[in-house]
């Protein structure tokens, strides 16, 4: 099953390696990982999308929760959260398809952030459905390169 | 020095752990890491912001470049690239400061994605300067929680 985990970790060397390695040992596949700063400069938030055996993932989660460097680890699959992802896509462009591409960007409200002789680069942030939707629309034109941030997430409400 | 590395890696278990551990061994501090899918389902792109001794980072980069699972590794500090980051911020809100907050969101073109009794959640994508600028403006109001994706980047131009 695909699951989303969010961990708050102390900014210590090796935390990210230990986390990735622990889930690797559980046989799970890390689909995406986003690690960035939080409101506290000594703490990072790591959001993982992971796919694998539930019991093995649960065990890895419990092990990590016991580490001194891991402050908190939440399974967002079981909680109410709002998720977003950022993607940048460089798609092949020719005089014949420019207006079609522009229409797609408008529908998805994707921002053009770069233009070359034969390509155009856009960014879009949204939930995974929206990101996947844009990518699917652009595939027939030829995606030259693409970079996804991995999912980030925050709990809904005031907490 | 702070540097940005972008790696294309085969989707194999353990790649992320090896990468994080190799930079850990070099004594460098991983400031952010974003690992996500690319246009090729068998390949992931990993973008790292890293700070540490340049010689040690160079050595780690060369070692990783030699691994079968690493297809390519680029040092973006030396290339022309466009970078973006995504942030979600939940900030404390009261009837007295709502309109001030809304003005800040408008200036930064941040999107409101959630609202509670005592908080409001926004998302913003942009370069690091813009993200840091928004955060700095929101700190005095009280940031309740925050999640950053880490930097993602693509080369400029058609390549």
């Amino acid at each position: 099953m695909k699951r989303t985990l969010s961990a708050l970790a102390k900014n210590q060397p090796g935390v990210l390696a230990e986390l990735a390695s622990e889930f690797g040992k559980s046989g799970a596949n890390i689909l995406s990982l986003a690690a960035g700063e939080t409101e506290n400069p000594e703490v990072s938030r790591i959001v993982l999308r992971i796919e694998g055996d539930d019991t093995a993932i649960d065990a890895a989660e419990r092990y990590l929760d016991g580490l001194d460097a891991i402050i908190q680890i939440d399974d967002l699959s079981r909680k109410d959260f709002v998720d977003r992802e950022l993607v940048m896509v460089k798609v092949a462009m020719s005089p014949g398809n420019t207006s079609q591409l522009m229409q797609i960007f408008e529908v998805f409200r994707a921002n053009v952030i770069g233009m070359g002789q034969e390509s155009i680069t856009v960014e879009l942030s949204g939930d995974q459905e929206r990101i996947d939707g844009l990518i699917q629309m652009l595939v027939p034109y030829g995606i030259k390169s693409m970079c996804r941030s991995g999912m980030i997430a925050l709990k809904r409400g005031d907490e």
Side-chain angles (χ1 to χ4, degrees), chain A residues 45-71:
Chain A
R45 186 188 298 270
I46 304 163
V47 182
L48 283 137
R49 283 280 287 166
I50 196 165
E51 185 170 29
D53 175 65
D54 272 340
T55 318
I57 295 177
D58 285 341
E61 195 185 332
R62 270 194 308 273
Y63 170 78
L64 291 165
D65 206 11
L67 295 180
D68 182 55
I70 304 284
I71 298 161

Side-chain angles (χ1 to χ4, degrees), chain A residues 105 107 156:
Chain A
F105 301 156
V107 168
R156 288 187 198 275

Side-chain angles (χ1 to χ4, degrees), chain A residues 25-26 40 44 61 69 77-78 92 100-101 105 107 111 125 127 134-135 137-138 142 147-148 158-159:
Chain A
K25 273 190 266 170
S26 80
N40 180 344
S44 295
E61 195 185 332
S77 328
R78 301 188 202 123
Q100 286 173 314
L101 280 172
F105 301 156
V107 168
N111 295 323
S125 72
D127 57 25
L134 174 70
I135 292 166
M137 290 297 292
L138 296 180
C147 195
R148 293 178 74 148
D158 289 323
E159 201 191 328

Side-chain angles (χ1 to χ4, degrees), chain A residues 99-111 124 130 133-134 137:
Chain A
S99 68
Q100 286 173 314
L101 280 172
M102 289 300 178
Q103 274 173 3
I104 295 172
F105 301 156
E106 211 181 304
V107 168
F108 282 90
R109 280 188 248 154
N111 295 323
L124 178 68
R130 191 150 157 238
L134 174 70
M137 290 297 292

Side-chain angles (χ1 to χ4, degrees), chain A residues 7-11 15 19 42-46 69-72:
Chain A
L8 288 173
K10 291 184 194 165
N11 279 344
V15 178
L19 195 136
E42 280 161 28
V43 172
S44 295
R45 186 188 298 270
I46 304 163
I70 304 284
I71 298 161
Q72 192 185 327

Side-chain angles (χ1 to χ4, degrees), chain A residues 84-91 101-102 104-115 119-127 130-135 138 143 145-149:
Chain A
R84 284 290 183 277
E85 186 172 5
L86 179 66
V87 67
M88 288 197 286
V89 187
K90 189 181 291 180
V91 62
L101 280 172
M102 289 300 178
I104 295 172
F105 301 156
E106 211 181 304
V107 168
F108 282 90
R109 280 188 248 154
N111 295 323
V112 173
I113 54 172
M115 215 167 198
S119 71
I120 184 161
T121 304
V122 289
E123 64 160 339
L124 178 68
S125 72
D127 57 25
R130 191 150 157 238
I131 303 283
D132 290 338
L134 174 70
I135 292 166
L138 296 180
I143 293 179
S145 64
M146 183 170 101
C147 195
R148 293 178 74 148
S149 68

